[in-house]
Each structure stands twice: as structure tokens, then as C-alpha cells.
Amino acid sequence: MNDDIKQKFEMIYEKESDAIFRFCLFRVSDREQALDITQETFLRLWKNLSEQKEIQSERAFIFSVARNLVIDWYRKKKSVSFEDLSTDEEGYDPSDGMTLNHLELKADGRLLVDKINELPETYRQPVYLRYVEDLSPPEIGEILGITANAASVRINRGIEELRNKLS
């Protein structure tokens, strides 16, 4: 049975670890802290799997755990501000082969992340989870503790606010 648990854990880790790391990085804006939270998230998954606790949706479970760990981190830090996802202090280096088109896409992505960060919390998480992590409304609802319909409404309203901010 232990091999089955190990195999299941490895499969989930391989499939979801990058998404959980991005989610944490988006929320805490600190690479090392995001790595720590990601590690703790998967430790808790391992613990639940090894104790043979029933998990309905592994993806929703680990996103919920990561979300709660981020909230706990902010409580400990006593700060609720979100910084930019990343700052590119290196600047443009023509020798790295990065095309102008790639730079424009990167700048557009940063602008979009900045605008998502400006959304009210009610819309910020659902929009991020839907369009950055590609989760479905039912999965988002499970992570946030709301119905799938409420998640869809928040996503749509968040997109409408994003459109207003971008125009």
C-alpha cells in the first residue's frame, strides 16, 4: 500500500507542483517564501495520503492548503499588501536572444498581473485561479469554499472590472 501512496503522491507532485509554486509566488512575491509554502503544501498532502484520509479532489485540496498557508504567512508577517509578481532588475540584454515580441508579451503579462492585483479580493483569487492556473469554476468554488455558480459570477465580474481598468 505504501508504494501506491508514494506513486500517487509523485504523480500529483509532478502534475501540480509548478502551478502551486506560481500560485504562492503570485501571492507572496518572494521566491524563497513561495518555495517554502509549496514544500509545506506537499508535506501536508503526503501526510493526508499516508493517513489514508479521503481527498475528493487532489487539485482543489492542495490549492486550498496553499491558500491557507499564504493567509497564515500574511498573518504572521502582519502585512496584507501584495507586491508586484516580480521585478526585472536585469533590464534588457540584447545578447540573451529575447525578441522584441517576447519582451512585449512579458510586459503585457506584467500589466495584466498588476491589474489583477488591483481587483478587490473577492474577484482577485477567482480570476487568478481561472486564467492563470486554468482551474474550472467548480474547482475554484471548492478551493474558496463557495459554490461553482458563485465562482463563475466572481470570475465574470472580475473580468468586467479588468476590462474597465484596462480601457
Side-chain angles (χ1 to χ4, degrees):
M1 185 55 98
N2 200 10
D3 284 342
D4 291 340
I5 292 170
K6 182 180 176 187
Q7 218 171 13
K8 185 174 187 176
F9 175 83
E10 288 174 349
M11 181 192 70
I12 296 167
Y13 183 84
E14 181 68 32
K15 184 178 177 188
E16 303 295 346
S17 61
D18 288 342
I20 293 297
F21 173 73
R22 283 191 311 272
F23 175 76
C24 294
L25 183 61
F26 180 79
R27 303 297 298 185
V28 301
S29 301
D30 179 303
R31 186 177 191 287
E32 293 304 315
Q33 189 59 47
L35 285 170
D36 287 348
I37 294 172
T38 300
Q39 181 180 15
E40 181 63 26
T41 298
F42 283 99
L43 282 172
R44 292 187 184 189
L45 172 66
W46 175 259
K47 181 179 180 194
N48 277 270
L49 289 174
S50 63
E51 292 175 357
Q52 298 184 352
K53 293 185 179 176
E54 184 178 344
I55 300 173
Q56 295 292 325
S57 167
E58 290 93 2
R59 191 168 201 210
F61 174 81
I62 58 176
F63 271 96
S64 295
V65 169
R67 178 177 177 264
N68 290 335
L69 289 170
V70 167
I71 290 169
D72 291 346
W73 180 75
Y74 271 105
R75 284 183 184 145
K76 287 178 189 171
K77 186 180 174 194
K78 304 238 186 221
S79 170
V80 274
S81 66
F82 292 93
E83 300 169 15
D84 295 331
L85 178 61
S86 67
T87 55
D88 202 0
E89 297 170 8
E90 301 146 13
Y92 174 65
D93 179 6
S95 66
D96 72 0
M98 196 178 283
T99 65
L100 186 57
N101 189 32
H102 180 111
L103 289 172
E104 288 172 354
L105 284 174
K106 194 171 179 182
D108 287 345
R110 272 213 193 110
L111 173 66
L112 189 56
V113 166
D114 288 343
K115 293 302 175 187
I116 289 173
N117 273 333
E118 291 175 12
L119 290 174
E121 183 63 27
T122 306
Y123 305 138
R124 184 182 312 141
Q125 285 188 4
V127 169
Y128 173 84
L129 291 170
R130 179 71 184 119
Y131 294 104
V132 177
E133 296 304 334
D134 198 30
L135 295 174
S136 69
E139 290 173 314
I140 295 168
E142 190 173 336
I143 290 167
L144 300 178
I146 58 176
T147 66
N149 188 44
S152 292
V153 168
R154 289 182 186 185
I155 292 165
N156 289 330
R157 288 180 182 166
I159 293 301
E160 191 60 38
E161 283 207 27
L162 272 177
R163 284 187 184 126
N164 292 337
K165 287 182 180 299
L166 293 170
S167 60

